[in-house]
Amino acid sequence: MKEKAVVQGFANNLDWRNRKGVFWHVIFQASTIVGIITLITLIFNVIDSAFGYVAYEARVDPDTLTMNGIPLEEQSKEQLVELLQSTLSSGAYNKLNNEKSFEDRSREEVFQVIVERIIRPKVVRVWDLWPSLTQADEIRATVAQDFPKAELDFVSWLTRDFVTRPQTSEPLTAGVRTAILGSLWTIFFTILLAFPIGVGAAIYLEEYASDNWLNRVIQTNINNLAGVPSIVYGILGLAIFVRTLEPLTSGKLFGLVDLTTANGRTVLSAGLTLGLLVLPIIIINAQEAIRAVPRSLRNASYGVGATKWQTVWSHILPNAMPGILTGTILAISRAIGETAPLVVVGASTAISFDPSSPFSKFTTLPIQIYQWTARPQAEFQSLAAAAILVLLILLLSLNASAVLLRNRFSRRF
Amino acid sequence: MMTNNNSEPKYVIETQDLEIYYGDFKAVTNVNMKIEHNKITAIIGPSGCGKSTLLRAFNRMNELYAGTSIKGNVIFNGQDIYAKEVDPVEVRYRIGMVFQKPNPFPKSIYENIAWTARIHGYKGNMDELVESSLQQAALWDEVKDKLHQSGLSLSGGQQQRLCIARAISIKPEVILMDEPASALDPIATLKIEELMQELKKNYTITIVTHNMQQAARASDYTAMMMLSGEGERSGTVIEFDETKKIFTRPSDKRTEDYVTGRFG
């Protein structure tokens, strides 16, 4: 193109402007790439730990536990309990019995105890996925030389058994069922508390509250609460739910639990604490969604003589619902990953039986991961990596179901 | 509660020294006008002179905007609609409104009317009501085969007639129209104007318009609004008379300048 004649006062600087544009383009692209690399590194790191070779030895050979010719795997629950009683010290046996009486445990649970307390397979060494793939021969040679009695297996730490087995202190038999159920129970109470109260408060603040100083103070405080560190909510939960409301949260008031051991450190307390934690986030997101409902729709409704309640219920809520649900999904995702407040509220670090009521003791996935990563042995790092994968899958599937729910709402015209 | 006067008054709405404020800012001042039964009254004037603000004050829609307040009275069938004992919801039930931008509910065509009737406790035959409302709004023939499609799937002009059908389904006594044709093409505009002539037989209509030809063609009475006063200027009705007179022999020089296009 022929160059435009120079007009006085105007610099012909198109090249310079384009170069500036390219410069920023590259910067923005680089930021994105850094983010993606970080994510890939994270996932690679987790997967690297979650699979690989394991060398392990049994401390007691299971063949020596055969009774009357019946191998250990086929013995009845009663026989297994007897074996435990005769092998363990009475103190250790009674302690197990107090945790949960053997009458209440299933055969599978008793067998688990035997593997854990008597056979005690011992991991002697673990390898990550990358060396397992690239240096398999060296690993075999090392094991043959250093641990002649050990067996070497390529294992995936993340297996179906890992998800369905309860927690134990032996890495080879440990699972996350207890933690998954603990997380689900907790989240259930979180949603139960935070969703209705959060949406209700958002409706009140957006549609009913007049613009006076009191409501402005409330609004400012809600915004600030969303930024309060989660450990503070843990302390709040400890004071309110675990201590003050103990008769309620421990279930004593309802007489459903063993009064001698019941205390407020239950899934109910944990769920309510996380509910308080995500409440401001849900309120703020729901307010945004309600504010985004166009004025023309409100006009249409009020213009035909609808009351405020009719307008809110028939028009504002249905139209804001996809946005409200998106905000709730974000809040719930945060709650699932929370660790600190649950430590304060008193998540148990080692329990081997499942939560079965609102008043159960509990542990959750992040707590479990935290506990495993804190241990020095490499096999627990692998367990933690597998548990992280479970947590990610749980999060993604909850999010996916929420997105489906949201799309269902948006399709109503 | 408002009571209906049995002796049908000549004037449906009457304002007395009406002033409208946004916070401390006086947007409309000193309006005294009477809106006659079964007539179309147009409010014209330049942008920003308070036409829509005045119209919204007739059915208390202005209260939905934060910080608005009024002084003076708006008398509807002998009752001040701003009196303490009057419920604004009932005012809007009896004085309906059609807005500048067509705003059907994001529901089906049928539901747009049925929901409106239902919230007022309509117990009669809903199908008949929907049909008659759409027929009065001259929309029935175009939508009778797709009553259960979304109201938003219609064209702009059809959407606006759906809004009119929705407004008349609950039999208001007055219909306020805030530039109902400004977002429509000339053909759709003409349809709305024809419709207004039909509706006039049963309803009192007040319309705000930017379009002077529209006011001249369609209305019986015209109110000319303009900013006036020194310093902080607020809108007021400078002339209110029969449309014929406003457009042929206006008594105010500013009106004459405006309607003949010599304004400013």
Side-chain angles (χ1 to χ4, degrees):
Chain A
M1 197 159 61
K2 192 165 163 270
E3 244 178 64
K4 188 186 172 198
V6 176
V7 182
Q8 190 166 17
F10 290 89
N12 196 353
N13 62 353
L14 183 59
D15 281 348
W16 181 78
R17 284 187 285 153
N18 280 339
R19 273 200 303 278
K20 200 172 168 185
V22 169
F23 174 75
W24 285 107
H25 179 131
V26 170
I27 297 271
F28 296 146
Q29 204 159 34
S31 331
T32 315
I33 290 171
V34 169
I36 290 173
I37 289 175
T38 314
L39 192 65
I40 291 173
T41 314
L42 174 87
I43 290 173
F44 178 79
N45 197 22
V46 171
I47 289 178
D48 195 37
S49 302
F51 304 92
Y53 276 113
V54 176
Y56 59 93
E57 301 169 338
R59 292 191 187 86
V60 173
D61 191 346
D63 294 343
T64 62
L65 298 174
T66 305
M67 199 183 280
N68 306 332
I70 309 171
L72 187 68
E73 286 79 20
E74 289 165 26
Q75 289 174 17
S76 69
K77 179 181 154 190
E78 285 68 29
Q79 285 172 308
L80 292 174
V81 173
E82 224 169 276
L83 177 66
L84 271 175
Q85 213 161 3
S86 58
T87 317
L88 294 178
S89 72
S90 63
Y93 177 83
N94 286 338
K95 189 164 172 255
L96 282 171
N97 204 16
N98 280 344
E99 254 174 39
K100 190 176 178 187
S101 78
F102 281 104
E103 271 172 44
D104 292 348
R105 298 188 193 221
S106 66
R107 184 194 172 277
E108 177 213 351
E109 282 172 319
V110 177
F111 190 82
Q112 203 69 49
V113 173
I114 289 189
V115 172
E116 192 183 314
R117 306 301 288 258
I118 301 176
I119 301 174
R120 292 154 59 205
K122 183 183 158 203
V123 174
V124 289
R125 191 148 174 209
V126 297
W127 286 268
D128 282 347
L129 179 61
W130 184 248
S132 300
L133 292 177
T134 53
Q135 304 158 13
D137 294 337
E138 286 95 320
I139 289 172
R140 269 189 216 106
T142 314
V143 171
Q145 194 191 340
D146 295 355
F147 314 104
K149 280 191 290 179
E151 279 188 57
L152 183 68
D153 270 342
F154 185 90
V155 300
S156 157
W157 290 91
L158 176 64
T159 57
R160 177 186 271 205
D161 280 351
F162 178 71
V163 177
T164 54
R165 270 190 315 231
Q167 187 194 26
T168 68
S169 57
E170 285 291 335
L172 284 175
T173 55
V176 287
R177 186 182 70 198
T178 323
I180 292 176
L181 290 172
S183 276
L184 292 178
W185 272 96
T186 311
I187 285 305
F188 174 72
F189 289 111
T190 303
I191 298 174
L192 210 62
L193 174 79
F195 185 72
I197 296 184
V199 175
I203 292 173
Y204 174 77
L205 287 171
E206 282 304 308
E207 297 296 322
Y208 291 86
S210 54
D211 185 27
N212 56 30
W213 69 268
L214 178 65
N215 289 325
R216 278 199 294 273
V217 168
I218 291 174
Q219 181 71 59
T220 311
N221 276 309
I222 289 172
N223 295 345
N224 288 338
L225 281 177
V228 168
S230 57
I231 190 100
V232 177
Y233 282 97
I235 291 164
L236 183 73
L238 180 69
I240 298 180
F241 299 122
V242 179
R243 298 269 157 76
T244 312
L245 296 179
E246 192 190 342
L248 203 72
T249 52
S250 65
K252 281 178 190 162
L253 204 62
F254 311 101
L256 297 172
V257 286
D258 178 4
L259 292 180
T260 52
T261 57
N263 61 36
R265 300 169 179 278
T266 55
V267 281
L268 182 60
S269 293
L272 297 180
T273 304
L274 290 185
L276 286 189
L277 171 72
V278 298
L279 191 56
I281 307 175
I282 292 185
I283 294 177
I284 291 169
N285 284 312
Q287 277 186 290
E288 290 289 336
I290 289 169
R291 225 174 288 151
V293 173
R295 160 143 244 154
S296 63
L297 187 58
R298 289 163 212 263
N299 279 344
S301 180
Y302 288 122
V304 294
T307 61
K308 184 163 267 181
W309 166 243
Q310 286 166 332
T311 304
V312 167
W313 182 250
S314 298
H315 298 296
I316 293 176
L317 264 189
N319 279 277
M321 206 32 99
I324 292 176
L325 286 179
T326 312
T328 308
I329 295 165
L330 290 175
I332 295 306
S333 304
R334 168 151 184 218
I336 290 180
E338 271 304 339
T339 321
L342 297 185
V343 172
V344 181
V345 170
S348 316
T349 41
I351 53 167
S352 53
F353 42 89
D354 300 334
S356 56
S357 80
F359 312 117
S360 301
K361 305 283 164 293
F362 71 103
T363 189
T364 65
L365 274 171
I367 297 273
Q368 185 75 76
I369 293 166
Y370 167 70
Q371 192 217 344
W372 277 335
T373 49
R375 300 178 71 150
Q377 299 97 319
E379 54 269 33
F380 286 104
Q381 309 302 324
S382 297
L383 279 177
I388 287 170
L389 288 179
V390 172
L391 179 61
L392 287 179
I393 292 166
L394 184 70
L395 260 177
L396 288 180
S397 50
L398 277 179
N399 281 6
S401 54
V403 169
L404 287 180
L405 197 69
R406 188 182 77 193
N407 290 348
R408 259 184 66 86
F409 268 101
S410 329
R411 261 205 297 273
R412 294 178 38 182
F413 281 105
Chain B
M1 286 301 282
M2 286 181 285
T3 45
N4 225 333
N5 253 343
N6 285 338
S7 58
E8 197 125 280
K10 195 179 176 204
Y11 300 113
V12 186
I13 294 178
E14 190 179 341
T15 68
Q16 298 169 340
D17 300 326
L18 183 61
E19 294 180 353
I20 307 170
Y21 294 83
Y22 288 112
D24 294 330
F25 170 66
K26 195 201 274 186
V28 172
T29 185
N30 195 28
V31 172
N32 289 287
M33 63 188 280
K34 294 172 173 177
I35 290 168
E36 205 173 309
H37 205 78
N38 285 21
K39 291 278 189 276
I40 298 175
T41 306
I43 303 175
I44 62 170
S47 293
C49 71
K51 303 185 295 292
S52 296
T53 303
L54 176 62
L55 191 75
R56 281 200 293 265
F58 289 168
N59 73 343
R60 295 184 68 168
M61 281 298 281
N62 57 339
E63 292 177 352
L64 301 176
Y65 295 77
T68 52
S69 57
I70 72 139
K71 278 184 189 158
N73 301 313
V74 178
I75 310 293
F76 171 62
N77 286 340
Q79 161 81 51
D80 182 5
I81 62 168
Y82 284 90
K84 263 208 172 69
E85 69 274 16
V86 175
D87 185 343
V89 171
E90 202 200 341
V91 173
R92 294 176 206 135
Y93 172 39
R94 295 178 54 177
I95 305 178
M97 193 153 197
V98 175
F99 298 85
Q100 181 171 4
K101 202 177 134 236
N103 56 357
F105 298 130
K107 297 169 180 285
S108 70
I109 295 168
Y110 186 94
E111 265 307 298
N112 259 277
I113 292 164
W115 185 83
T116 305
R118 226 166 22 235
I119 61 167
H120 293 290
Y122 179 72
K123 292 278 183 343
N125 186 328
M126 192 61 84
D127 292 348
E128 271 174 24
L129 180 74
V130 170
E131 182 175 346
S132 71
S133 303
L134 288 169
Q135 255 162 0
Q136 284 183 69
L139 188 60
W140 174 250
D141 291 333
E142 292 161 61
V143 300
K144 63 184 174 198
D145 299 323
K146 48 178 184 181
L147 287 176
H148 295 284
Q149 286 181 20
S150 170
L152 296 170
S153 67
L154 299 174
S155 73
Q158 289 173 326
Q159 285 188 20
Q160 196 62 295
R161 275 178 284 149
L162 177 59
C163 292
I164 293 173
R166 183 177 69 192
I168 60 184
S169 69
I170 52 174
K171 314 276 185 287
E173 288 151 60
V174 181
I175 303 172
L176 306 175
M177 297 185 171
D178 188 358
E179 300 182 40
S182 69
L184 307 180
D185 67 41
I187 297 167
T189 303
L190 198 65
K191 275 201 173 135
I192 300 276
E193 283 176 23
E194 286 167 6
L195 178 57
M196 280 162 50
Q197 299 306 324
E198 275 304 306
L199 293 175
K200 191 173 120 174
K201 293 169 191 160
N202 300 312
Y203 304 94
T204 306
I205 296 173
T206 303
I207 178 173
V208 164
T209 179
H210 262 312
N211 180 334
M212 276 175 296
Q213 287 79 22
Q214 186 172 53
R217 276 195 304 262
S219 70
D220 304 300
Y221 290 92
T222 298
M224 175 71 208
M225 282 187 82
M226 204 159 270
L227 289 173
S228 68
E230 293 300 314
E232 199 171 302
R233 289 147 66 87
S234 56
T236 190
V237 173
I238 57 166
E239 192 169 358
F240 179 47
D241 215 325
E242 283 180 33
T243 300
K244 239 186 321 185
K245 187 152 175 277
I246 291 276
F247 281 89
T248 53
R249 289 170 282 112
S251 50
D252 193 298
K253 178 79 173 64
R254 290 169 297 177
T255 310
E256 190 182 341
D257 285 350
Y258 188 77
V259 299
T260 53
R262 267 184 282 134
F263 187 78

